[in-house]
Amino acid sequence: PISSSVDTVRIFSEILKKEAKRARRYLDYWERLFMKAEDMEEGPTGSNERKRMVEQLCRIIVARDEKILRLAKRYISLRDILDVKARMIGTGFIGGKSVGMLIARAILLKDKGLDSKELFEPHDSFYIGSDVFYAYVAENGWWRLRMEQRTKDGYFDVARTLKVKLISGIFPEEIKEQFRQMIEYFGQSPIIVRSSSLLEDSYGNAFAGKYESIFLVNQGTPEERYTKFTDAVRRIYASTMNEDALSYRLQRGLDQADEQMALLVQRVSGSYRSGYFFPDVARVGISYNTFVWKSTIDPKAGMLRLVLGLGTRAVNRVEGDYPRIVALDDPLLKAHANMNDTRRFSQHDVDVLNVKDNVLETIGLKDLIKNGVDIRLDLIAVKESDTWIITFDRLASENKFRNTMIRILKTLEAAYEYPIDIEFTINFREDDEFRINILQCRPVQTKGLGRRVEMPSKIGKGKTLFRSTGNFLGGNISQEIGRIIYVDPAEYAALASQSQKYDIARAVGEITRKMEGDKKPAVMLMGPGRWGTSTPSLGVPVSFAEISNVAILVEIAFASANAVPELSFGTHFFQDLVETGIFYLALFPDSADTYINRTFFDSLPNTLKKIAPQYKKYGHVIKVLDIKNLKPRIAADIVSQRLVCYKP
């Protein structure tokens, strides 16, 4: 029996290579061009002719963006492109996520300082071309509707209708047949269907978390597996009409850009363990960590965000659970002080694929251990009394692992000539060695530390709105504030129902939407727990689109309601903050280093009724404070880790 993804990829890759040679059937221009490329690869063609062929193929399959094309032409070979074609369904581009994964792998395989064969897990991904998305729209008679959606008046309104339709369409017969062949190829190995749109993962536009990616445990009959796969494809196509994605595009001037959805289908990296399937470690690495939390951290060293199991907990803000943040220049440094905090701010649950029940499942670490599931706890956790606490201390501090991750991040950063982030998995071998699977790579926007801020001194309590030490992200700042939206933690916690808390989120969205434009005042948004949470008891459940116009975002800990902020390095939420240029701050009122002047927030008139009269009944919860005449300012300095918001 084959239990590891490494061996499975090797076997089926060889089978596919042999079958591809027998498959020269469709002799349109697309196929003839690739047949010519195949002959060129196998024959004695000169290097210049190969280069011209690589450039030609890159322009019809890889990207339109010139920066990405330069990278592709430099690192991707003709053989690499032909391997993509052998696993491609339909025609068109393979999309940003696929391209990032392929370029990153090509760059790293050329690095002689890395033992590529022993270090990196191979892959046998499939690619669903961007033209399939258009074929799907046309096949179902939605083309006119898509054109209406691209108008100014229909941009959001028509999108709601189109989203519903995209979930229930039918595919062209030739595409159905290719889907079935792919499902047969993967058998019952778990797979993940990932968005890979044309605009995704490009320079300056990550689209982090805007489109869906769906794990499929992939068990059952071929027909059952095919049905779940096509449902996943429809859901991802429908996610192109998500409000967050549309707002993101509008904000970046991409609302009229041609956005087609290609797909990347990957075999899930990991192993079978007592009825479950998951990798040992997953996930995010960032080559330049501008959002440091302590002055001694070197941003150039990069950082990791690690979890046990599937990487869903590394890229999302998960309620009550905390991935391990590793600053690669000081891997044992933590953002909290003692063992009690280590226990609290650690990972307690694990996302796994339940093979028996054919579902993605979240299971407690204690239950996994109790059930005898094979986990390398000695490498990722420490034992305290009868319990294990996931810290990743041993793994993170081992020189080979740390140096390897630094080299990977820096090699990719140098090639991209830009800071990058990657998603990856790690699987341990019996000799404590490990294999890395690079799943995704993209250039990321960063916000520099900025010039050193001259912090004000001797500010009286009456003129201080709040002050704090540490727990802020976004570099040095000295900015005047024109308006504060303040959601009172105690009043929010006292709301009787979840629907009222969702009302608060919609009210915040309504207020911030009325603040778009360059002449609007800088807005500071303050509230309890985690902004953007999916659990209203732990924070205000806004979408990022509803708060993307603010300049400063403040999360206030409210212990009695268990509403605790999270410094979400490496998550999609974090990526949104970086790209949008929002300064982030977490306030812990019970800390001796934190002071909040509640009298100030209670003393000013509330303009909620004027700005959003339909929500006036929540005036005791939401306070909109127009304070431009007071000229308050927020100042923060990375080196001293001091932050103060004050009236001059």
Side-chain angles (χ1 to χ4, degrees):
I2 299 170
S3 61
S4 75
S5 54
V6 175
D7 294 332
T8 309
V9 168
R10 283 177 172 167
I11 289 173
F12 281 92
S13 292
E14 287 302 315
I15 293 172
L16 189 70
K17 285 179 184 177
K18 293 177 182 178
E19 290 182 346
K21 292 181 179 179
R22 309 188 197 112
R24 297 188 175 191
R25 295 174 295 178
Y26 305 108
L27 298 178
D28 58 9
Y29 172 77
W30 175 271
E31 292 294 340
R32 287 199 305 273
L33 181 61
F34 277 97
M35 287 176 67
K36 181 180 178 181
E38 187 75 54
D39 293 339
M40 189 179 292
E41 169 65 13
E42 294 177 353
T45 311
S47 60
N48 288 336
E49 193 172 349
R50 284 173 183 248
K51 286 180 180 178
R52 286 194 293 271
M53 177 59 77
V54 167
E55 180 170 356
Q56 184 177 2
L57 294 177
C58 280
R59 289 191 177 277
I60 68 170
I61 199 173
V62 172
R64 296 168 179 161
D65 182 271
E66 289 298 327
K67 289 183 179 179
I68 297 294
L69 278 172
R70 281 198 297 271
L71 271 174
K73 288 185 287 185
R74 182 177 178 185
Y75 291 102
I76 293 180
S77 68
L78 183 56
R79 181 73 263 163
D80 292 333
I81 297 176
L82 291 171
D83 287 343
V84 169
K85 174 61 175 64
R87 294 192 176 93
M88 189 168 182
I89 294 174
T91 60
F93 293 100
I94 59 175
K97 198 167 287 181
S98 297
V99 171
M101 181 267 292
L102 291 169
I103 289 177
R105 285 176 172 272
I107 291 168
L108 296 173
L109 289 174
K110 287 178 172 62
D111 185 347
K112 295 180 180 179
L114 296 169
D115 187 358
S116 301
K117 290 185 178 179
E118 292 299 316
L119 181 61
F120 294 113
E121 184 175 334
H123 81 100
D124 58 349
S125 306
F126 273 70
Y127 314 88
I128 300 176
S130 57
D131 289 348
V132 176
F133 175 70
Y134 272 174
Y136 178 67
V137 172
E139 179 81 6
N140 290 276
W142 303 327
W143 194 259
R144 186 182 297 275
L145 199 61
R146 177 171 170 78
M147 293 299 100
E148 289 177 14
Q149 186 274 323
R150 295 187 65 177
T151 65
K152 184 177 180 180
D153 293 337
Y155 189 69
F156 286 105
D157 290 342
V158 177
R160 299 184 187 98
T161 302
L162 188 53
K163 181 177 180 178
V164 173
K165 290 184 177 294
L166 285 166
I167 295 175
S168 58
I170 59 173
F171 294 94
E173 287 301 321
E174 63 271 23
I175 298 301
K176 287 182 182 179
E177 178 59 28
Q178 292 180 73
F179 282 173
R180 292 182 189 279
Q181 290 174 5
M182 185 192 67
I183 293 297
E184 183 178 331
Y185 170 85
F186 281 121
Q188 297 192 62
S189 292
I191 58 176
I192 179 171
V193 189
R194 311 188 75 188
S195 67
S196 184
S197 79
L198 267 58
L199 299 177
E200 207 167 349
D201 287 5
S202 61
Y203 282 86
N205 300 302
F207 280 84
K210 298 298 180 289
Y211 302 133
E212 287 204 50
S213 291
I214 300 169
F215 280 102
L216 297 175
V217 190
N218 204 27
Q219 306 302 295
T221 67
E223 191 59 35
E224 288 169 342
R225 288 182 276 124
Y226 169 80
T227 298
K228 289 196 174 183
F229 171 77
T230 51
D231 286 345
V233 172
R234 292 185 186 97
R235 279 178 54 189
I236 296 171
Y237 282 172
S239 71
T240 60
M241 297 294 115
N242 284 348
E243 185 177 353
D244 268 9
L246 294 172
S247 296
Y248 183 95
R249 291 176 58 194
L250 189 63
Q251 192 175 52
R252 284 158 177 75
L254 300 172
D255 50 305
Q256 293 304 308
D258 185 26
E259 176 66 314
Q260 294 171 251
M261 180 58 74
L263 298 172
L264 172 62
V265 185
Q266 294 175 301
R267 192 185 297 272
V268 178
S269 174
S271 300
Y272 292 96
R273 313 155 194 253
S274 304
Y276 300 108
F277 190 96
F278 58 93
D280 288 300
V281 182
R283 225 63 178 210
V284 175
I286 301 178
S287 67
Y288 192 90
N289 180 21
T290 308
F291 283 11
V292 298
W293 68 91
K294 192 172 182 180
S295 59
T296 57
I297 296 174
D298 179 10
K300 295 179 182 178
M303 56 79 65
L304 306 176
R305 181 178 171 94
L306 303 177
V307 296
L308 166 65
L310 302 174
T312 43
R313 291 180 171 262
V315 297
N316 298 319
R317 303 182 103 201
V318 181
E319 319 311 337
D321 235 20
Y322 299 86
R324 171 71 157 90
I325 306 300
V326 177
L328 284 168
D329 58 322
D330 193 352
L332 296 180
L333 179 69
K334 297 181 177 67
H336 44 265
N338 54 50
M339 198 61 188
N340 286 334
D341 282 346
T342 297
R343 187 186 309 107
R344 180 181 181 186
F345 298 111
S346 65
Q347 182 183 354
H348 304 99
D349 296 322
V350 184
D351 286 347
V352 300
L353 299 178
N354 186 321
V355 178
K356 181 180 178 181
D357 295 336
N358 201 19
V359 293
L360 170 65
E361 179 180 339
T362 298
I363 186 168
L365 175 63
K366 291 181 179 178
D367 292 329
L368 280 178
I369 296 172
K370 183 180 178 181
N371 294 338
V373 177
D374 179 29
I375 304 172
R376 290 302 307 273
L377 292 169
D378 57 317
L379 290 174
I380 67 170
V382 295
K383 194 167 187 179
E384 185 190 47
S385 300
D386 296 327
T387 62
W388 287 89
I389 303 171
I390 296 177
T391 63
F392 293 101
D393 282 353
R394 180 181 164 190
L395 177 67
S397 60
E398 285 188 348
N399 285 335
K400 181 177 180 180
F401 173 77
R402 188 171 69 90
N403 292 338
T404 297
M405 293 312 303
I406 290 174
R407 176 141 194 158
I408 287 172
L409 292 172
K410 289 304 163 188
T411 298
L412 293 173
E413 183 181 69
Y416 272 81
E417 299 179 340
Y418 210 81
I420 55 91
D421 79 9
I422 61 172
E423 292 184 17
F424 63 93
T425 62
I426 295 171
N427 289 295
F428 299 124
R429 302 191 302 193
E430 291 182 2
D431 55 2
D432 286 357
E433 292 295 312
F434 54 86
R435 282 186 180 271
I436 298 174
N437 194 348
I438 303 295
L439 305 173
Q440 183 177 344
C441 178
R442 62 186 168 209
V444 294
Q445 287 198 32
T446 61
K447 185 176 180 179
L449 296 178
R451 290 173 14 180
R452 184 75 188 269
V453 171
E454 190 68 34
M455 296 296 290
S457 58
K458 297 181 180 179
I459 301 173
K461 278 194 173 184
K463 290 193 171 184
T464 301
L465 278 65
F466 56 78
R467 66 168 179 264
S468 178
T469 301
N471 300 316
F472 59 86
L473 312 173
N476 299 324
I477 188 175
S478 179
Q479 182 167 349
E480 190 173 299
I481 302 165
R483 175 177 283 165
I484 296 175
I485 305 171
Y486 178 73
V487 178
D488 187 286
E491 296 290 352
Y492 179 80
L495 290 172
S497 67
Q498 283 201 358
S499 64
Q500 290 178 312
K501 292 180 178 179
Y502 279 106
D503 282 350
I504 298 300
R506 302 295 81 79
V508 169
E510 178 68 17
I511 297 164
T512 60
R513 267 192 287 269
K514 294 183 177 180
M515 298 176 182
E516 296 179 356
D518 295 336
K519 296 182 180 180
K520 300 296 183 181
V523 177
M524 181 163 66
L525 177 60
M526 307 176 68
R530 305 179 187 183
W531 286 105
T533 177
S534 58
T535 306
S537 61
L538 300 181
V540 184
V542 293
S543 68
F544 194 82
E546 290 176 309
I547 61 174
S548 60
N549 294 320
V550 307
I552 300 145
L553 186 69
V554 183
E555 295 185 336
I556 306 170
F558 191 60
S560 65
N562 196 31
V564 182
E566 184 199 358
L567 302 176
S568 302
F569 304 92
T571 62
H572 293 151
F573 182 82
F574 166 89
Q575 185 70 27
D576 282 331
L577 292 179
V578 176
E579 288 194 335
T580 315
I582 297 174
F583 184 87
Y584 170 88
L585 165 66
L587 287 177
F588 296 87
D590 293 337
S591 169
D593 296 326
T594 301
Y595 167 74
I596 301 177
N597 186 349
R598 301 189 186 281
T599 303
F600 172 84
F601 295 100
D602 293 336
S603 63
L604 295 176
N606 186 355
T607 60
L608 172 66
K609 186 190 299 186
K610 177 182 177 182
I611 296 172
Q614 66 271 43
Y615 293 105
K616 62 183 180 181
K617 67 178 180 180
Y618 293 115
H620 61 298
V621 182
I622 307 173
K623 298 176 182 178
V624 182
L625 310 177
D626 289 311
I627 52 175
K628 191 174 182 180
N629 60 318
L630 300 177
K631 297 185 177 180
R633 180 171 290 274
I634 186 168
D637 177 60
I638 279 285
V639 175
S640 66
Q641 286 288 288
R642 289 177 58 208
L643 181 144
V644 62
C645 186
Y646 64 100
K647 293 184 294 181

